[in-house]
Amino acid sequence: MVSWRALFIREMRLAVRVGGGALMGVLFFLIVVTVFPFAIGPDLNLLSRIGPAILWIGALLSTLLGLDRLFEADKEDGALDLLVASGHPLELVVVIKTLAHWTTTGLPLVLAAPFFSLFLAMTPASIGATMLTLLVGTPALTFLGVIGSGLTVSLRRGGLLVPILILPFAVPVLIFGVSASNAVAFDPAAFRTPFLLLAAVSLVAAVISPIATAAALRNGLD
Amino acid sequence: MSGLTVDRGGRRVLENISFALEPGQALLLTGPNGVGKSTLIRSLIGAVHRSEGTVTLAGPGIEEPDDVARHCHYLGHRDAIKTALSVRENLAFWQDFLGRGHGTSVAEALAAVDLADLADLPAAYLSAGQRRRLAIARLVAVGKPIWLLDEPTAALDRQSEARLVALIAEHVARGGSMLAATHLAINLPTARSLRLSPVDHHLEAEW
């Protein structure tokens, strides 16, 4: 237990200190969300209709872009050797690192979403629904992205490869997330099904990702 | 360890290597560059895939003889130091994560490598030799019975080298074992030297 708490705290510290990625995700999210109104123009109806989709695209991109350094940094300084050879299950190491990463990059996106949605003229109900779907859906994005991060660990400049590898698997998350968010504004009865599917994708990703990532890391060490 | 064979990139690096490491013994691995010293050490902790051969532990209290990495502490070319964390945070993390065993406290380990004054400094400001000393402090603070050292004296000055030899002697005297790829002269009664021969990837014992 001490080991896992120590690893979690270390990951959090690294994320919030100089060179960490905690703030970068939110800033990228802000960039994506703010350029849309400028591009679309002052059509408030249109903006509020596509608002949830814009927030989801922003969350998707900033989650995937922030993942390239998750294992690469540990590989470069030799810490990965020690993490693998520690005698602890590597799958659990991956879970803890993923949870810490989501807490520092995914959770801020969820918390920032209501503020950024002001740019998009969204209704309170729609804002609440989007926040809820992001809260349930961003763990799926992080868990899926971690697999890509593990696969590219031995590649220099593997950063852009992660989104390319993972995007096809992230598309269902995007579809269910946006359709559940939109349902609240247009057809409240249609909220339940996509929302439950979104939760299911998150849970499945949380199970598969640590196993796949640990296997990728073991192969990538050589 | 028996019959270890390792292939890397389609090339046979090590072939049919066997040796035993006893408690309280220091084994020094020598040989020219590229002969496979680092590969041998990394294959022990599972960081390099073994094509053939087995590594097993034997002794009282060992329940899983194949779980070698748990009892080893690997100190490689890279120091596993996070520059954003302070010296103390770096060391405390590894002690908490790897387990303290019979290791010393963080403060004692830093004192043992003469880094106590720099404990609160971010590790980014350490010199190469100081980073190395911090990595050596990790060996002391995390008390694992088997030390696997790969060129531990790189970047160390003479005084730090002597300090490392003293730490190794203390570790060995307490019944720990060590396997090191180094040309450092370690003057211990139990020290044995193994030479990896580049010709047929064989291991020759050199006493």
Side-chain angles (χ1 to χ4, degrees):
Chain A
M1 212 48 229
V2 177
S3 308
W4 305 122
R5 206 182 60 211
L7 183 61
F8 189 81
I9 292 172
R10 166 195 189 245
E11 294 296 317
M12 299 281 282
R13 275 191 185 136
L14 289 174
V16 298
R17 291 209 183 152
V18 183
L23 213 59
M24 285 309 173
V26 181
L27 285 177
F28 188 80
F29 191 35
L30 178 67
I31 291 171
V32 173
V33 173
T34 46
V35 294
F36 267 94
F38 288 114
I40 288 170
D43 184 346
L44 292 185
N45 286 333
L46 178 62
L47 268 182
S48 68
R49 204 166 68 236
I50 61 172
I54 295 172
L55 287 176
W56 259 95
I57 291 172
L60 173 73
L61 292 178
S62 53
T63 304
L64 292 187
L65 285 175
L67 275 163
D68 58 325
R69 296 288 295 165
L70 188 61
F71 295 108
E72 203 189 327
D74 280 335
K75 162 102 178 172
E76 271 169 15
D77 65 18
L80 192 58
D81 288 334
L82 284 168
L83 291 176
V84 172
S86 61
H88 297 304
L90 189 54
E91 288 79 6
L92 258 177
V93 172
V94 172
V95 170
I96 300 292
K97 277 183 75 87
T98 310
L99 289 179
H101 187 81
W102 180 80
T103 311
T104 51
T105 60
L107 192 58
L109 298 184
V110 178
L111 299 176
F115 298 102
F116 293 176
S117 60
L118 296 176
F119 293 113
L120 305 170
M122 284 163 64
T123 62
S126 183
I127 294 173
T130 308
M131 248 187 110
L132 187 63
T133 53
L134 281 175
L135 182 67
V136 173
T138 46
L141 296 178
T142 307
F143 271 112
L144 288 170
V146 165
I147 303 177
S149 186
L151 282 170
T152 57
V153 69
S154 52
L155 303 177
R156 297 258 174 267
R157 318 276 320 149
L160 201 61
L161 214 53
V162 176
I164 293 171
L165 280 173
I166 293 306
L167 211 56
F169 301 98
V171 166
V173 182
L174 188 68
I175 292 173
F176 295 136
V178 174
S179 53
S181 311
N182 281 335
V184 174
F186 304 109
D187 177 15
F191 174 77
R192 200 177 139 86
T193 310
F195 184 75
L196 288 181
L197 279 169
L198 185 66
V201 173
S202 266
L203 292 174
V204 170
V207 173
I208 291 175
S209 161
I211 299 169
T213 311
L217 287 177
R218 284 198 190 94
N219 278 312
L221 264 188
D222 208 338
Chain B
M1 162 189 275
S2 66
L4 176 81
T5 300
V6 175
D7 297 301
R8 297 190 74 187
R11 199 171 64 93
R12 183 143 292 191
V13 181
L14 297 169
E15 187 164 17
N16 200 13
I17 296 210
S18 306
F19 65 87
L21 183 61
E22 307 285 338
Q25 190 177 47
L27 269 183
L28 303 179
L29 200 57
T30 59
N33 293 148
V35 77
K37 302 189 290 291
S38 298
T39 303
L40 197 160
I41 290 183
R42 288 174 60 80
S43 73
L44 288 174
I45 58 162
V48 169
H49 178 73
R50 296 192 284 263
S51 307
E52 278 170 51
T54 51
V55 183
T56 48
L57 287 171
I62 305 269
E63 282 154 16
E64 293 173 62
D66 294 331
D67 194 6
V68 178
R70 180 187 296 273
H71 302 277
C72 292
H73 194 148
Y74 171 67
L75 175 64
H77 293 283
R78 291 165 296 184
D79 299 314
I81 290 168
K82 292 287 177 206
T83 51
L85 301 180
S86 76
V87 168
R88 192 199 313 274
E89 283 168 344
N90 264 298
L91 191 55
F93 162 69
W94 285 118
Q95 186 179 56
D96 288 342
F97 184 75
L98 296 172
R100 181 164 166 180
H102 59 262
T104 65
S105 72
V106 168
E108 283 169 325
L110 286 176
V113 294
D114 198 18
L115 281 178
D117 297 341
L118 307 178
D120 295 314
L121 194 73
Y125 298 110
L126 296 185
S127 75
Q130 286 169 330
R131 290 172 64 98
R132 203 71 196 152
R133 270 149 59 194
L134 177 52
I136 291 168
R138 203 182 66 217
L139 289 174
V140 181
V142 179
K144 300 241 179 181
I146 303 171
W147 288 3
L148 302 173
L149 317 181
D150 195 353
E151 298 291 355
T153 53
L156 287 185
D157 57 28
R158 210 164 276 168
Q159 195 192 355
S160 307
E161 265 185 31
R163 218 182 277 126
L164 174 62
V165 172
L167 287 174
I168 291 173
E170 201 181 309
H171 173 69
V172 168
R174 262 206 319 263
S177 336
M178 184 205 70
L179 174 67
T182 179
H183 295 281
L184 182 68
I186 295 180
N187 202 5
L188 287 176
T190 57
R192 246 181 73 193
S193 177
L194 290 172
R195 188 180 156 75
L196 274 176
S197 151
V199 185
D200 48 1
H201 313 292
H202 258 67
L203 198 61
E204 301 158 5
E206 236 179 37
W207 298 84

